[in-house]
Amino acid sequence: FEPAYAGPGLRVLEVVPGLPADRDITRLQPGDIVTALDDQPVRPGQDLSELLNGPLPREVAVSLERGGRRLEFLLPLTSPDDAREKVHEAAIAQSRAQVAAWSSNRVGYLSIARMQTEDLRLFEKEVYAQGYGRDALVIDVRNNTGGFTADQILSMISHPPHAVTIPRDGVI
C-alpha cells in the first residue's frame, strides 16, 4: 500500500505478480482504495495481520473504490511463505530489469537468498545464464539468511587461473 496516503482506506501502490490479488477475477490495481476487509474498515498504518491471519484455505471479502465505483469480491488468501516467495521473485525481476536498463544490458543480476545446497545449485545455473555475454554481474546477497555454501560460491567466482596454455611457437 502507498505509505504516504492519509486515507480513508488504503491506496494500492502495486500488485505482486502471481499472488491472488493479481488474478483476473480478483485483480487489484494500483490506485484502488481498499476500504474494508471482511466488512471491517481499514486505515493507513493499520496492522492487517489481525484481519488476515487464520487457517487456510479461506477467502476475505474485499471492499474497494476504483475510479468512483464501489467493488466487492472474495479474495483467496495465500500462505505467508508463498507470499514472501512471490514478493522476493518480484523484487528480483524488478532489480534485474533495472540493472539491464541502467547498463544497456551489459551487466547481469542475480540474487542469492540463502547459502544452502539448493541455492548453490540455482546459483551455478544463474551465474552462467545471467553472466553470459555480459561485461559484469551484480551478485545481490542483501537479506541473505545465511548457510554454509559461501566458500563454494566464492571459489566459483574468484578462483585464480590454474593453468596457462602457450602455443608451440610461443606467440600468445
Side-chain angles (χ1 to χ4, degrees):
F1 295 103
E2 193 173 309
Y5 182 69
L10 301 167
R11 182 181 293 154
V12 176
L13 180 62
E14 64 182 309
V15 178
V16 176
L19 287 176
D22 184 44
R23 296 183 183 143
D24 285 338
I25 198 162
T26 57
R27 182 162 289 135
L28 292 175
Q29 298 176 3
D32 284 350
I33 307 294
V34 177
T35 56
L37 297 173
D38 278 341
D39 296 320
Q40 298 295 314
V42 294
R43 63 189 184 288
Q46 180 177 359
D47 179 7
L48 297 178
S49 63
E50 58 196 38
L51 298 173
L52 300 176
N53 283 348
L56 296 174
R58 72 183 187 93
E59 297 175 322
V60 62
V62 176
S63 301
L64 64 86
E65 294 176 9
R66 177 183 295 155
R69 293 184 8 230
R70 184 166 171 79
L71 302 171
E72 294 187 7
F73 55 84
L74 293 176
L75 179 68
L77 296 181
T78 190
S79 73
D81 288 341
D82 188 39
R84 272 190 292 277
E85 181 65 26
K86 297 294 186 200
V87 167
H88 182 69
E89 290 171 7
I92 290 172
Q94 182 179 27
S95 294
R96 191 167 281 159
Q98 286 175 336
V99 167
W102 291 336
S103 69
S104 300
N105 212 29
R106 292 179 39 223
V107 176
Y109 172 92
L110 65 92
S111 173
I112 304 173
R114 299 172 311 153
M115 298 289 184
Q116 303 295 326
T117 302
E118 65 264 17
D119 301 284
L120 177 63
R121 300 297 169 244
L122 179 61
F123 174 80
E124 290 172 334
K125 293 177 186 175
E126 289 285 308
V127 75
Y128 291 104
Q130 294 302 315
Y132 180 77
R134 299 208 169 97
D135 298 338
L137 186 62
V138 172
I139 301 173
D140 187 350
V141 294
R142 291 175 295 172
N143 303 313
N144 184 296
T145 59
F148 54 87
T149 61
D151 290 339
Q152 292 164 302
I153 288 173
L154 287 172
S155 70
M156 281 185 222
I157 61 174
S158 63
H159 58 79
H162 62 279
V164 176
T165 303
I166 299 174
R168 288 183 192 260
D169 62 8
V171 178
I172 298 180

